[in-house]
Amino acid sequence: MKNLRTSVNNWFDKLNGQWRAMPVKKQHRCTLLLFSVYALLSIIVLVNVCYDVAKPGNTIRIEHIENPVIRQDKPPVSPQDSITTTLENKKYGRQ
């Protein structure tokens, strides 16, 4: 684990050195390019969401959340918590 951390730190140090060695104008261009790509992806996602919502026949079904543990076709499963059972038995004096 320590070797992995050391290698990752060395890799980041190398990248940081390369970034600092780059001229400021090129750093500005790279930052602007990354921001432009991020903004373009955000706009694409927003347009896609608006398109999906605007489709006719889009309905949302609102239902109650059912407990997945309790099933109608099988009998309920007994809890496997032995600590609670042991403490309850000692509390009421049962063995």
Side-chain angles (χ1 to χ4, degrees):
M1 190 68 179
K2 200 169 192 176
N3 291 336
L4 177 66
R5 186 177 201 162
T6 305
S7 64
V8 169
N9 281 338
N10 289 340
W11 182 64
F12 278 131
D13 289 340
K14 185 177 96 172
L15 285 178
N16 191 25
Q18 289 175 351
W19 178 258
R20 290 182 186 271
M22 197 182 302
V24 175
K25 193 170 184 177
K26 195 168 183 179
Q27 286 180 0
H28 181 71
R29 275 193 209 135
C30 287
T31 305
L32 191 61
L33 177 69
L34 288 173
F35 176 75
S36 301
V37 169
Y38 175 76
L40 181 65
L41 285 174
S42 297
I43 290 170
I44 289 171
V45 167
L46 286 174
V47 167
N48 191 16
V49 166
C50 290
Y51 176 74
D52 287 344
V53 169
K55 281 184 182 176
N58 248 355
T59 58
I60 299 175
R61 291 182 10 195
I62 300 175
E63 298 177 351
H64 290 287
I65 299 173
E66 295 181 17
N67 189 347
V69 175
I70 300 173
R71 295 189 214 165
Q72 278 31 352
D73 57 346
K74 294 183 179 178
V77 178
S78 64
Q80 300 294 323
D81 192 4
S82 61
I83 294 174
T84 306
T85 307
T86 304
L87 291 176
E88 285 178 359
N89 287 343
K90 287 184 179 179
K91 184 171 143 182
Y92 295 113
R94 296 183 226 150
Q95 292 296 336

